[in-house]
Amino acid sequence: MSYPVQDMMGQELRLEGIPSRIVSLVPSQTELLYDLGLEEEVVGITKFCIHPEAWFRSKARVGGTKTVHFDRVQALQPDLIIANKEENVQDQVEALRTIAPVWVSDIRSPEDNLEMIRQIGLLTGTSPKAEVIIQQLQSDFATLPLANCLGRKVAYLIWYNPIMAAGNDTFIHEVLSRIGFENVLKNAPRYPELDMEALQQLQPELLLLSSEPFPFAEKHIKIFQEHLPETTIMLVDGELFSWYGSRMLHAVTYFNELFI
């Protein structure tokens, strides 16, 4: 007998009991499914689902987060597809609903992350494990903000050529705020483009160059330092600022080590 479930977008879907064949279209949520112990249940992932490495090497891949191959998904005969509003394309999500129920997350804050973990735990019959993760994340984030970060002006870049940064209404912005930083792009829309002159005018004390989605490297530090001689510039692990789910279990320790 089927029963109704509502996702984080308010969309209702109907499930036929606890899912036994799951396709995940979101790298961070794939890792969460692993940490919930769903080795047998997860049958398909994307080519960007690199954690855990064992799944990346062994699970069927259904394309990218924005280039899903419907025939591959259909061949796996899933009874649940897990997606995300920002990571996946709406038209593709709608088309996938003809194959199986699609549960979509919408995460803008650490609190949204906890709710996502709780709901996926309920969906998959792994609530006890989900609650352990939630309690640990609550404990970790209760130690923030970091005293030596309070009020420091920061810009967090996610792309180069064009330069793109994390603005307001993003998970990254919320994480920066919890650490204690003031995002110099807090009044900008989600992922604004800006040129070097605009970045100079913002006068960030700290410039964070993310490892993803653009792989910033040491050579980029030199480029930005020429234009921002008074700014401290650092390469950072983008996963620990932007991957919600259980990856956040490693975040606060990383922040303490990075900004000590």
Side-chain angles (χ1 to χ4, degrees):
M1 182 177 179
S2 66
Y3 61 95
V5 172
Q6 194 171 81
D7 67 15
M8 296 181 75
M9 298 294 296
Q11 178 78 32
E12 186 176 288
L13 52 147
R14 301 192 73 85
L15 297 180
E16 304 285 344
I18 300 298
S20 60
R21 298 186 62 80
I22 301 170
V23 169
S24 174
L25 305 179
V26 188
S28 56
Q29 290 174 182
T30 296
E31 183 178 35
L32 172 63
L33 295 171
Y34 170 78
D35 287 329
L36 292 175
L38 296 163
E39 170 73 39
E40 299 299 324
E41 290 82 358
V42 174
V43 295
I45 62 176
T46 76
K47 64 182 181 180
F48 300 119
C49 295
I50 59 174
H51 300 300
E53 185 178 358
W55 280 19
F56 178 68
R57 294 184 180 279
S58 64
K59 298 289 184 184
R61 300 183 199 173
V62 298
T65 53
K66 297 182 179 358
T67 54
V68 180
H69 297 290
F70 301 97
D71 56 336
R72 297 182 191 176
V73 175
Q74 193 161 32
L76 292 170
Q77 299 181 314
D79 49 16
L80 178 65
I81 300 168
I82 295 179
N84 173 263
K85 179 185 177 182
E86 184 171 293
E87 289 278 351
N88 305 119
V89 178
Q90 184 178 353
D91 289 348
Q92 293 184 13
V93 168
E94 292 302 323
L96 288 166
R97 294 189 197 280
T98 65
I99 297 174
V102 182
W103 188 90
V104 182
S105 63
D106 182 19
I107 301 169
R108 310 292 179 90
S109 70
E111 288 74 24
D112 291 341
N113 185 42
L114 299 182
E115 182 59 24
M116 179 271 290
I117 295 170
R118 181 172 287 113
Q119 289 194 32
I120 286 185
L122 288 168
L123 278 176
T124 59
T126 58
S127 287
K129 291 181 179 179
E131 288 302 322
V132 169
I133 294 171
I134 290 168
Q135 289 171 20
Q136 185 60 57
L137 287 173
Q138 288 174 324
S139 175
D140 289 351
F141 273 78
T143 66
L144 298 177
L146 303 177
N148 56 343
C149 295
L150 283 172
R152 292 185 70 188
K153 294 184 177 181
V154 65
Y156 184 103
L157 302 189
I158 64 166
W159 202 260
Y160 184 69
N161 195 25
I163 298 170
M164 294 179 68
N168 199 2
D169 198 28
T170 63
F171 187 73
I172 295 169
H173 170 77
E174 286 298 325
V175 169
L176 293 172
S177 297
R178 302 307 166 88
I179 295 170
F181 291 121
E182 178 185 346
N183 184 359
V184 294
L185 287 150
K186 63 185 178 182
N187 296 319
R190 293 170 58 73
Y191 298 108
E193 291 185 16
L194 58 160
D195 56 23
M196 198 67 77
E197 183 179 353
L199 192 57
Q200 288 174 313
Q201 291 175 355
L202 290 168
Q203 297 183 319
E205 298 172 58
L206 183 62
L207 182 66
L208 303 180
L209 306 181
S210 180
S211 61
E212 63 161 43
F214 182 86
F216 284 102
E218 290 288 339
K219 65 180 182 180
H220 298 104
I221 293 181
K222 295 178 182 179
I223 294 169
F224 283 102
Q225 201 74 78
E226 290 177 5
H227 299 273
L228 298 162
E230 303 300 319
T231 299
T232 300
I233 304 174
M234 304 172 67
L235 298 174
V236 298
D237 186 338
E239 292 179 3
L240 294 174
F241 284 86
S242 64
W243 277 41
Y244 36 82
S246 50
R247 175 61 35 169
M248 283 287 108
L249 290 170
H250 308 286
V252 174
T253 296
Y254 176 72
F255 299 153
N256 274 284
E257 294 172 350
L258 188 65
F259 301 121
I260 193 168

